Amino acid sequence: MNQKGFNISLVAVLCFLSIHTAWADIPVHCLYDDVVGKWEMHEGPREGSNDIACDSSFTTNNFAVFDLQEPNIAIDSYGNKGTWTLIYDEGFEVIVNGRKYFAFFSYEEIDGSTVSHCDKTSVGWSHDVLTRNWACYYGVKQQQSAPRTSRLNAFPDYKNAVYRADADLVHRINAAGTTWQAKVYTEDDGIPFEKFLRKMGGLPSQFALPKPAPVTPDVKRKALNLPESFDWRNVSGVNYVSPVRNQQQCGSCFAFASAAQLESRIRILTNNEKQPVFSPQDIVSCTKYAQGCEGGFPYLIAGKYAQDFGMVEEEYNQYQGIDTQCTTPADAPRHYVAEYGYVGGYYGATNEENMMLALVNNGPLVIGYMVYPDFHNYAGGVYQHTGLTSRFNPFYETNHAVLIVGYGVEQETGLKYWIVKNSWGENWGLDGYFLIRKGTNECGIESIAVDVHPIP
């Protein structure tokens, strides 16, 4: 349905995208049930390209109604069936009738609290599935819901604090007889605690990761045929994983993990003939799908940004570890993805078995999980959260993005684990890697995995 001449001011639905957390980048908080239902999509002229500015008011001349059904079915007013997915608690993407729509939810900040308007979106972007004919749009749910109010993730009492390594916590971890070992890392000593929190994944999340989805009989059968252990760093003696890097004190884990996934998968698709190293700084400085050093989502970077805009290599925008203006040359070569999505098909459909299948069949997976205070001290073994905390602990559950490159099992104990590439440099953990318990959704690691298919 097309309503010509439909004009409206967007002041009522625009939100100020202020930044408060790292991986969970904006403080809006909406749930799956908030999205299910009928949405009116108010769209501007489909005459733009991917540099369209969707951060101001505009005139709409296209109108559509989408019925977003469980678990991930989208149906337009013509009866065309597509798909949709929630993106954490921040926004959602709809793909129907050859066109994609993505926007964050609308919110405002009032007297130290966030008021989330989950029946509205902020201004977002739409384009066809070939990334042409861009337009700005906003969505309004036909069934209105009450605003959801939550406290902002802020710790004013810690604004002037600095981080200090906690040797006592390390001693208590090692004395507890856990499945892993801890050690003191001193390279962050003396930095503002706020910067340390960015590196660790940000301030506390208001939103727990979803539980792993039930395993279908077909997926379980296929997973049983997989090898007991697998590692993309050593497949018949060949390494398909790019080197470990260091995000420093910028909350750019999402950018490094996304870049690392595409780097590895291109190596796999070309039998290591092509070995690009992509630019996290381009992601930090240049995309509106994320919030720079304050965070972002791998789904929107490894997937949507890489498809809509393309990834550039490190030489065109070298990493600085700070928020900057975008300096990537307009003519820098770009690398794209053909398809992307959450493992299982949509947010909330991920589980251990389909992660294993996607990992072995397609390549390393970028995932999110909860970082606890003890994790920073990891030195070896299979990580499990101890429940021990440091003396100075202003954060609890936080989100961090990393790359799963394989899995295995301890022969002596039978303990299963994932092999994970971090972005804290080669001097952390096991040369920049860590092992974490597998099969129990430890720290939410089997809840939210992204699968992408780059074009080599």
Side-chain angles (χ1 to χ4, degrees):
M1 180 163 47
N2 188 345
Q3 295 185 345
K4 295 292 185 182
F6 185 84
N7 300 312
I8 187 168
S9 169
L10 298 189
V11 174
V13 297
L14 280 170
C15 67
F16 295 98
L17 295 181
S18 55
I19 300 163
H20 287 275
T21 63
W23 196 66
D25 48 354
I26 57 176
V28 68
H29 176 49
C30 297
L31 303 176
Y32 179 85
D33 289 341
D34 293 323
V35 184
V36 173
K38 291 186 177 181
W39 285 78
E40 298 175 356
M41 302 303 194
H42 303 269
E43 187 181 32
R46 298 177 176 181
E47 300 170 350
S49 58
N50 63 6
D51 61 355
I52 190 171
C54 291
D55 51 7
S56 60
S57 61
F58 61 92
T59 299
T60 65
N61 62 357
N62 291 295
F63 175 80
V65 176
F66 294 156
D67 186 8
L68 306 185
Q69 303 177 359
E70 298 180 3
N72 70 323
I73 298 170
I75 301 176
D76 68 11
S77 54
Y78 302 108
N80 298 298
K81 184 179 290 187
T83 60
W84 71 276
T85 183
L86 190 69
I87 301 171
Y88 203 61
D89 60 345
E90 312 287 302
F92 61 94
E93 184 175 48
V94 180
I95 307 172
V96 65
N97 202 16
R99 197 160 181 85
K100 295 187 176 186
Y101 300 79
F102 161 69
F104 294 106
F105 293 110
S106 176
Y107 73 93
E108 56 186 330
E109 296 175 9
I110 302 175
D111 297 330
S113 295
T114 298
V115 179
S116 300
H117 300 286
C118 301
D119 54 0
K120 303 180 181 71
T121 73
S122 64
V123 178
W125 302 265
S126 72
H127 56 74
D128 67 29
V129 294
L130 300 177
T131 65
R132 298 180 301 194
N133 301 323
W134 285 64
C136 303
Y137 89 99
Y138 67 94
V140 179
K141 193 176 181 181
Q142 289 186 345
Q143 182 179 2
Q144 296 183 350
S145 59
R148 180 177 286 110
T149 301
S150 55
R151 295 294 296 174
L152 287 175
N153 284 332
F155 295 97
D157 292 342
Y158 304 129
K159 284 293 183 182
N160 298 319
V162 298
Y163 170 76
R164 297 295 181 192
D166 190 347
D168 178 66
L169 174 61
V170 170
H171 172 75
R172 288 187 288 126
I173 293 171
N174 290 332
T178 66
T179 57
W180 59 284
Q181 303 80 47
K183 77 174 188 178
V184 175
Y185 294 95
T186 60
E187 63 269 19
D188 293 321
D189 262 14
I191 69 170
F193 209 93
E194 189 174 2
K195 289 187 176 182
F196 177 73
L197 286 179
R198 285 180 177 174
K199 174 180 175 180
M200 291 289 286
L203 297 171
S205 172
Q206 300 179 33
F207 185 55
L209 292 170
K211 295 180 180 179
V215 184
T216 65
D218 182 56
V219 168
K220 181 175 290 187
R221 175 181 55 81
K222 292 177 179 178
L224 288 174
N225 292 324
L226 294 174
E228 183 181 56
S229 62
F230 188 86
D231 188 346
W232 278 108
R233 298 173 301 172
N234 184 2
V235 179
S236 301
V238 179
N239 176 23
Y240 293 96
V241 181
S242 55
V244 170
R245 300 184 64 185
N246 193 338
Q247 70 185 75
Q248 302 166 25
Q249 285 113 40
C250 172
S252 52
C253 58
F254 70 99
F256 278 88
S258 298
Q261 181 179 40
L262 295 172
E263 290 163 2
S264 293
R265 291 199 168 196
I266 288 175
R267 289 181 177 216
I268 293 166
L269 290 170
T270 65
N271 197 23
N272 268 333
E273 182 176 326
K274 296 182 180 180
Q275 298 188 4
V277 174
F278 292 123
S279 167
Q281 192 65 48
D282 173 76
I283 299 166
V284 167
S285 300
C286 301
T287 180
K288 293 184 179 181
Y289 294 166
Q291 283 69 47
C293 281
E294 301 300 333
F297 295 89
Y299 177 94
L300 295 177
I301 301 305
K304 188 167 181 60
Y305 181 67
Q307 183 175 89
D308 291 353
F309 297 89
M311 303 283 279
V312 301
E313 296 186 34
E314 177 71 11
E315 64 185 281
Y316 295 100
N317 197 338
Q318 296 186 358
Y319 190 63
Q320 300 180 56
I322 58 174
D323 289 312
T324 68
Q325 294 295 316
C326 181
T327 60
T328 302
D331 60 351
R334 293 189 174 266
H335 302 251
Y336 297 89
V337 303
E339 298 175 348
Y340 62 90
Y342 287 113
V343 170
Y346 54 91
Y347 184 84
T350 302
N351 56 44
E352 175 195 8
E353 287 80 2
N354 59 29
M355 284 173 62
M356 292 171 63
L357 288 166
L359 174 74
V360 173
N361 294 330
N362 302 330
L365 298 172
V366 60
I367 59 95
Y369 70 108
M370 300 292 189
V371 170
Y372 291 94
D374 59 358
F375 181 77
H376 179 255
N377 300 107
Y378 174 87
V382 179
Y383 175 80
Q384 301 179 55
H385 176 44
T386 62
L388 300 173
T389 59
S390 61
R391 293 188 304 270
F392 182 67
N393 176 31
F395 67 103
Y396 299 91
E397 296 181 340
T398 61
N399 294 321
H400 186 49
V402 288
L403 189 75
I404 291 181
V405 302
Y407 60 85
V409 59
E410 286 189 337
Q411 296 303 316
E412 301 82 5
T413 64
L415 184 64
K416 299 188 299 181
Y417 56 82
W418 296 106
I419 305 167
V420 192
K421 178 185 178 183
N422 203 353
S423 53
W424 292 349
E426 294 181 344
N427 293 326
W428 180 88
L430 301 171
D431 298 324
Y433 287 80
F434 66 96
L435 311 179
I436 186 170
R437 183 169 58 171
K438 174 177 171 286
T440 60
N441 198 31
E442 181 70 35
C443 301
I445 200 162
E446 288 148 10
S447 294
I448 178 171
V450 176
D451 199 10
V452 301
H453 300 274
I455 303 170

